[in-house]
Amino acid sequence: MLRRHKGRNAQGAGTGEDQNAQGQAEQQGAKQVQKLAPVDQGPPPTDDKAAQQEIKPEKIVPVTEEQGKRIELTPEQVVRERRRPEGADVVKQFGDRVILQFNNQTIVESNEAPRITRGAKDVYYEDLPRGRTRETVLRDNGIRIVTIRNRNGDVIQRSRIMPDGQEYILTYVDERYYQDVDDWRDPGEDLPPLRLDISRRDYILDSEDVEDPDEYYTFLEQPPVERVQRLYSVDEVKRSARIRDIARRIDLDTLNFDFGSATISDEEVQKLEGVATAMDKLLKKNPAETFLIEGHTDAVGTPDANLALSDRRAEAVAEALTNAFGIPAENLTTQGYGEEYLKVDTSGPNRENRRVAIRRITSLVAPVASNEQ
């Protein structure tokens, strides 16, 4: 996750509110919109395949194809030994959250292993060429979750392998685009400003406006609002507001967090039932769907502490979706954005700013045609 060094009440399409969908989509602000002319891509894609039509076919290498060398590691050691980009400075640590700064960006890192590996029959690691690591999580039902990380620990490939050997690709990125993380740059800088010719309601769904739970499914199944130029790593999507904004967003503004808290009560968990049902229905059609859960805070407190708090809120929602509704942990990825994108522009405590948002990012991070049943 990244937080750019702007004013404490900075607005952005990733989570902020503007007067129209066009304004919400412009992450760089009105000044950039005036400098760069949007490219007319035509109407939004009609489905995920159409959204990926710009992506040139490439051979998808099975996640287990390369020969690895077994190494003795625990999930905790993988996090501790994670190499960071040159010039990255650890600003502060809040429990298991680490705040980093590099390339004039502030990032919160957390460990997803407790979610992914919980209840596993076995977890083991292998060294792969070019400094990569492969993690295999074996579950009691025979399903394997296999993840390849690059030398900096970023996920570049993840698959669910069924007991019969069928592989569902959850994440796949061509390493040509992502092998030099030491010089990470925002891939959204390669794109023109996002141009939207749809209503705000078709781009951002506020849960407080949902009258029929089926609206969550109807909204989430919609494709991105523009064609995807290439597949991105999950980490690139998390770090780039411009890339995230290609995917539509649900604001769970009916889910309330107490001030300074990431705890979800049983009563609040039940408010996730509608969106969880929609996720489950989508996963029955495509078991490789990936959902990004974004956490946010109000502007009270320090920006670094708010980054850590927002990340815990996103994780709490992911845990609830898995534990209460059976959404597989590997289909959920989380990231906190602190106070960067306020829904209500105020420096005071505000419940609407203490929220979580959800995007279906499948077509940004995986070749959808490879997962057809």
Side-chain angles (χ1 to χ4, degrees):
M1 175 253 130
L2 65 83
R3 182 180 61 80
R4 297 186 185 277
H5 292 285
K6 300 187 288 187
R8 288 170 64 95
N9 295 327
Q11 298 290 320
T15 50
E17 292 296 320
D18 251 333
Q19 295 301 312
N20 52 59
Q22 173 80 26
Q24 295 194 25
E26 305 300 349
Q27 291 295 325
Q28 304 302 323
K31 291 183 179 179
Q32 187 192 42
V33 175
Q34 295 171 0
K35 293 178 182 178
L36 298 175
V39 173
D40 186 2
Q41 289 198 4
T46 55
D47 54 33
D48 285 355
K49 281 186 181 180
Q52 290 191 349
Q53 68 181 25
E54 299 296 325
I55 300 175
K56 296 180 180 179
E58 58 181 301
K59 180 182 178 181
I60 305 298
V61 179
V63 74
T64 56
E65 182 170 281
E66 287 184 275
Q67 185 70 31
K69 180 181 179 182
R70 190 80 169 255
I71 53 178
E72 295 301 322
L73 278 179
T74 66
E76 292 73 23
Q77 288 174 316
V78 171
V79 174
R80 285 200 301 268
E81 297 177 11
R82 180 174 183 171
R83 176 185 167 186
R84 295 192 171 100
E86 184 177 348
D89 297 320
V90 176
V91 176
K92 195 171 291 187
Q93 187 159 349
F94 295 88
D96 57 354
R97 262 66 180 181
V98 177
I99 309 298
L100 297 176
Q101 282 186 353
F102 76 103
N103 291 349
N104 295 318
Q105 297 160 353
T106 304
I107 302 167
V108 58
E109 283 185 351
S110 58
N111 181 13
E112 68 172 8
R115 287 196 309 109
I116 305 295
T117 63
R118 183 172 292 122
K121 183 177 181 180
D122 190 19
V123 181
Y124 60 89
Y125 295 87
E126 298 167 284
D127 272 338
L128 296 178
R130 304 190 300 281
R132 294 167 302 146
T133 302
R134 182 165 59 206
E135 172 192 79
T136 300
V137 177
L138 177 60
R139 296 188 172 146
D140 288 337
N141 57 9
I143 292 176
R144 288 177 290 159
I145 308 304
V146 184
T147 303
I148 295 177
R149 293 180 173 87
N150 66 10
R151 65 181 184 274
N152 285 347
D154 295 319
V155 174
I156 56 176
Q157 191 169 351
R158 171 173 285 161
S159 292
R160 179 193 292 115
I161 302 178
M162 307 304 290
D164 63 2
Q166 183 174 6
E167 179 176 352
Y168 291 102
I169 303 170
L170 280 71
T171 299
Y172 184 90
V173 61
D174 188 335
E175 287 187 82
R176 292 176 300 175
Y177 296 114
Y178 201 62
Q179 59 187 352
D180 194 0
V181 184
D182 290 346
D183 296 320
W184 186 87
R185 58 185 295 275
D186 186 345
E189 294 176 358
D190 298 330
L191 304 178
L194 184 64
R195 178 174 180 173
L196 292 175
D197 294 319
I198 57 177
S199 68
R200 179 195 183 282
R201 177 61 169 72
D202 289 334
Y203 183 53
I204 301 172
L205 177 63
D206 293 316
S207 59
E208 64 179 3
D209 296 332
V210 173
E211 298 179 357
D212 183 344
D214 288 342
E215 291 181 52
Y216 287 117
Y217 176 79
T218 301
F219 187 86
L220 279 176
E221 74 167 344
Q222 294 181 88
V225 296
E226 71 175 14
R227 292 192 293 271
V228 182
Q229 301 303 307
R230 67 170 174 87
L231 294 179
Y232 301 95
S233 74
V234 168
D235 296 275
E236 285 180 305
V237 175
K238 290 180 178 182
R239 294 171 180 171
S240 174
R242 174 63 178 88
I243 301 301
R244 285 196 306 280
D245 278 352
I246 299 174
R248 305 168 202 250
R249 185 181 91 224
I250 293 177
D251 278 350
L252 296 177
D253 42 17
T254 55
L255 183 68
N256 295 315
F257 290 95
D258 289 335
F259 179 77
S261 173
T263 301
I264 307 176
S265 67
D266 290 342
E267 181 181 352
E268 294 296 304
V269 167
Q270 293 310 308
K271 295 179 181 179
L272 295 171
E273 183 175 6
V275 73
T277 299
M279 287 179 169
D280 184 64
K281 188 175 179 180
L282 285 162
L283 287 166
K284 283 181 168 59
K285 291 175 59 179
N286 175 18
E289 296 282 6
T290 296
F291 303 93
L292 170 63
I293 302 176
E294 307 173 0
H296 304 278
T297 69
D298 56 27
V300 179
T302 67
D304 291 339
N306 282 337
L307 273 176
L309 175 59
S310 67
D311 205 53
R312 290 196 298 271
R313 285 176 175 165
E315 184 181 80
V317 169
E319 292 276 17
L321 288 168
T322 298
N323 297 336
F325 302 103
I327 305 301
E330 62 271 17
N331 293 100
L332 306 172
T333 188
T334 64
Q335 192 63 51
Y337 295 96
E339 62 188 63
E340 177 67 1
Y341 306 116
L342 298 176
K343 187 169 185 176
V344 178
D345 190 1
T346 176
S347 59
N350 184 279
R351 186 172 292 275
E352 289 185 66
N353 286 329
R354 303 194 292 268
R355 72 197 188 283
V356 166
I358 295 178
R359 301 178 196 259
R360 185 174 70 89
I361 62 170
T362 309
S363 57
L364 301 181
V365 300
V368 294
S370 298
N371 292 313
E372 292 184 332
Q373 298 193 77

